Amino acid sequence: MRFNCSMKIKRQIRSLLLITWMSLFYTPAFPQQTAVTRSISADSLYNPKNAYMYLRGIERDESAGFNPFRWLSQKALFIPKQIQYGIRYASGYGFKLFNDPKFITNIENFFFNEEKTMGWYPTADVASGFRPRGGLSFFYIYKNWDAAIEGEYAGEAKYQVEGFVSHQIQRANQIWVVSLSGLRSYDDDHIYYGIGNFPDSDSRSHFLSNPASDHGVYFQQRWKVEFLIGMQPFPKWQFFLTHNYQKRVHKNAFDLEGTLVSEGDIMDSFDIQKLPGFQHPLTQFYNELSLRYDTREKDVYMSPGWMLESYLGFSHGIKQDDSRYLKMGLDVFANIPVIQQNRFIVPRLIFHKLENLDESIPVAFSDYPTQPLYRGVSKRKLLRIDKYSLLPSIEYQYPLSFNLGAHLFLDYLMVANSLTKLTFKNAPWAAGIGVDFHGLDGELARASIAYGSEGIDLALKIGITALLNGRSE
């Protein structure tokens, strides 16, 4: 058997040598062979591509057919793709730096003390149509205690200071959190558009007979103190009990010294003598019970799963404020993996309702539910407000690097005086793209650009999301 195998191998080697010798010295004469063809075959050893085309009997290489949709998509997505490539390059370079022990040490020494118990970081709040606020945040961590104070400034009549202290207690699998926080803010460029889905024709908006604009700029002075107790009895369940005291004063922004507002005075478009919320300060106690069920993995910024949060709150006015409101709502979304386990389609629905418990006292314009997560305009614009508010959205989230993510989104903002009248008709909408820088617990910075019914909106937020800008704002 060994002998027969060796003989077969020898015959195969002889045949291979013969074919090689013939290919070097002999060119077969094909019936219609031209000089050009013979030169191509003679040069085939030096140009493999031409040899391949000659053997296949083709005259030119393959090319993609004309596809106008591909051409249009390449042109339309050119700028977003370049932005993404730049972000990927910058984030990759940043990731390389963060792997450098010397760089990490320098950063830590700059932002933290030697024991890593105290630190600081810059903050910023930038939105289209508003003066940007910039500031600093200082924090202190000791065992199970956390404390922070943050200040942002844009002018004499536009600044905000807030702080909090919290304590965490863990018993077996249960976690308790107790926190006390406070806020003081002056803001001279809040914007009011009226009430209802068609605010210009809604009598509750209190437009003048000949308004100068469809909106008005006003000043808000705000104080707030809040006490919160949170409990996590099971890994997926969380309960929160919130109590706060809040006082707000609304004024015509042009009556303030130091303001930079130049147009859109609320008095030029609205009758503020009739508009509830301008007659006296709004002073209220607010109590809320909320629960959250979250199936997402803990200590991971993005993971598959879904979250449901519901709340019920009661607001009671004091002093000159005789209002009494019942507030309730629901926030539900799901992270649905697509393509890979770290890319998600995120459908979301946020619903708020306000029930006036004393119809003889009209609802103040700033007490209606707002949707701060709507990305078409800044939350300082009361674009659409009413007793019922619904925010449906869809988002695609995907990672750019270890701690940098991107998202494409589409938001709608729907309001109505009754639940059955919620409709997409005349509802503002916004579609856009955003980038966020995050750690394991949440976002540290976010930038976005959106286009929709209100035009183009640019937003940038640097710093941990404020604790006090919630439902009782």
Side-chain angles (χ1 to χ4, degrees):
M1 180 67 70
R2 183 181 303 170
F3 174 77
N4 291 336
C5 289
S6 63
M7 289 296 292
K8 290 181 179 179
I9 293 173
K10 289 179 180 180
R11 284 198 297 269
Q12 291 175 356
I13 292 174
R14 285 198 301 268
S15 300
L16 182 60
L17 290 174
L18 179 61
I19 293 172
T20 304
W21 180 84
M22 291 179 64
S23 65
L24 290 175
F25 298 98
Y26 176 70
T27 301
F30 292 97
Q32 297 180 351
Q33 190 174 29
T34 65
V36 175
T37 307
R38 283 195 293 270
S39 65
I40 291 177
S41 67
D43 293 339
S44 61
L45 294 178
Y46 304 98
N47 193 334
K49 179 179 178 181
N50 288 342
Y52 167 78
M53 296 170 64
Y54 169 74
L55 291 173
R56 293 297 303 271
I58 57 179
E59 297 182 0
R60 62 181 180 179
D61 198 2
E62 62 181 353
S63 61
F66 177 68
N67 187 336
F69 298 103
R70 182 189 301 134
W71 181 86
L72 288 174
S73 66
Q74 289 175 348
K75 299 300 181 183
L77 298 177
F78 176 77
I79 293 178
K81 282 184 178 179
Q82 299 308 311
I83 295 174
Q84 182 181 3
Y85 296 154
I87 291 172
R88 284 180 177 272
Y89 176 81
S91 60
Y93 182 72
F95 186 73
K96 181 180 179 181
L97 285 178
F98 275 98
N99 281 332
D100 184 352
K102 183 178 179 180
F103 179 80
I104 293 175
T105 301
N106 292 335
I107 289 293
E108 289 181 344
N109 292 338
F110 188 72
F111 289 104
F112 299 90
N113 66 341
E114 199 169 307
E115 294 78 18
K116 307 296 186 294
T117 58
M118 298 178 62
W120 69 278
Y121 57 85
T123 66
D125 188 358
V126 181
S128 295
F130 296 90
R131 303 199 311 281
R133 285 194 313 223
L136 296 173
S137 180
F138 299 89
F139 59 89
Y140 176 75
I141 302 172
Y142 178 73
K143 294 183 178 178
N144 293 329
W145 289 89
D146 300 314
I149 184 168
E150 178 180 306
E152 291 183 342
Y153 182 83
E156 184 179 344
K158 188 179 180 65
Y159 66 86
Q160 178 172 293
V161 179
E162 60 181 317
F164 77 91
V165 58
S166 68
H167 181 55
Q168 180 173 300
I169 305 170
Q170 185 164 0
R171 294 287 184 270
N173 293 327
Q174 294 185 352
I175 300 176
W176 291 77
V177 176
V178 181
S179 70
L180 179 65
S181 51
L183 174 144
R184 182 176 181 178
S185 70
Y186 282 59
D187 207 335
D188 63 359
D189 56 1
H190 278 257
I191 301 179
Y192 170 65
Y193 280 82
I195 300 172
N197 192 32
F198 297 89
D200 54 346
S201 60
D202 196 307
S203 61
R204 296 171 298 169
S205 300
H206 293 286
F207 273 98
L208 296 174
S209 56
N210 293 305
S213 175
D214 64 346
H215 64 274
V217 181
Y218 68 95
F219 167 80
Q220 177 177 268
Q221 185 177 4
R222 183 173 170 228
W223 299 265
K224 186 176 181 181
V225 178
E226 182 172 282
F227 177 69
L228 179 145
I229 300 176
M231 181 182 65
Q232 182 176 299
F234 309 104
K236 293 182 175 59
W237 289 92
Q238 295 177 345
F239 297 87
F240 300 94
L241 186 62
T242 305
H243 308 278
N244 68 51
Y245 165 83
Q246 180 173 235
K247 180 180 179 180
R248 288 164 295 161
V249 176
H250 301 124
K251 296 180 180 179
N252 174 20
F254 289 82
D255 292 339
L256 304 174
E257 295 183 2
T259 181
L260 294 180
V261 176
S262 59
E263 60 180 355
D265 184 359
I266 192 170
M267 293 184 64
D268 293 338
S269 300
F270 298 90
D271 187 349
I272 61 174
Q273 300 302 320
K274 297 180 180 179
L275 184 61
F278 268 89
Q279 289 74 33
H280 53 74
L282 303 177
T283 308
Q284 297 165 337
F285 279 112
Y286 179 72
N287 303 279
E288 178 184 289
L289 175 64
S290 61
L291 63 90
R292 179 184 301 165
Y293 181 75
D294 193 346
T295 67
R296 296 171 299 169
E297 186 178 351
K298 300 299 183 292
D299 298 326
V300 176
Y301 178 69
M302 287 296 295
S303 68
W306 62 281
M307 192 277 292
L308 174 105
E309 181 178 1
S310 62
Y311 73 93
L312 178 64
F314 173 70
S315 177
H316 186 277
I318 58 175
K319 297 183 179 179
Q320 296 175 280
D321 188 350
D322 296 324
S323 62
R324 291 190 302 126
Y325 307 133
L326 197 63
K327 298 184 178 183
M328 61 191 72
L330 186 71
D331 182 359
V332 58
F333 67 86
N335 292 339
I336 305 172
V338 292
I339 305 175
Q340 299 179 24
Q341 287 298 306
N342 60 354
R343 302 168 187 267
F344 300 95
I345 293 292
V346 185
R348 188 169 189 173
L349 198 65
I350 304 175
F351 171 76
H352 298 294
K353 177 191 176 183
L354 180 141
E355 186 69 33
N356 189 358
L357 300 179
D358 188 348
E359 295 295 340
S360 64
I361 307 297
V363 178
F365 76 97
S366 57
D367 281 338
Y368 283 101
T370 61
Q371 291 283 8
L373 294 183
Y374 175 68
R375 289 163 286 195
V377 296
S378 167
K379 68 178 182 179
R380 282 174 279 177
K381 286 186 178 182
L382 302 184
L383 183 64
R384 291 289 189 276
I385 54 175
D386 212 326
K387 290 177 57 177
Y388 293 86
S389 177
L390 183 66
L391 174 61
S393 69
I394 186 75
E395 185 170 323
Y396 173 58
Q397 299 182 353
Y398 58 99
L400 295 175
S401 70
F402 175 73
N403 50 13
L404 197 64
H407 47 275
L408 305 172
F409 59 86
L410 174 63
D411 293 350
Y412 275 90
L413 178 57
M414 305 159 60
V415 301
N417 194 30
S418 66
L419 188 61
T420 57
K421 293 182 180 180
L422 286 171
T423 175
F424 284 98
K425 186 177 181 180
N426 204 45
W429 64 273
I433 183 172
V435 178
D436 63 85
F437 180 78
H438 57 262
L440 293 178
D441 298 328
E443 292 182 358
L444 302 176
R446 170 178 284 246
S448 65
I449 176 172
Y451 174 79
S453 57
E454 309 307 308
I456 298 177
D457 183 77
L458 301 173
L460 171 65
K461 175 65 178 177
I462 300 176
I464 300 174
T465 303
L467 297 177
L468 299 177
N469 293 328
R471 289 180 285 267
S472 60
E473 186 173 351

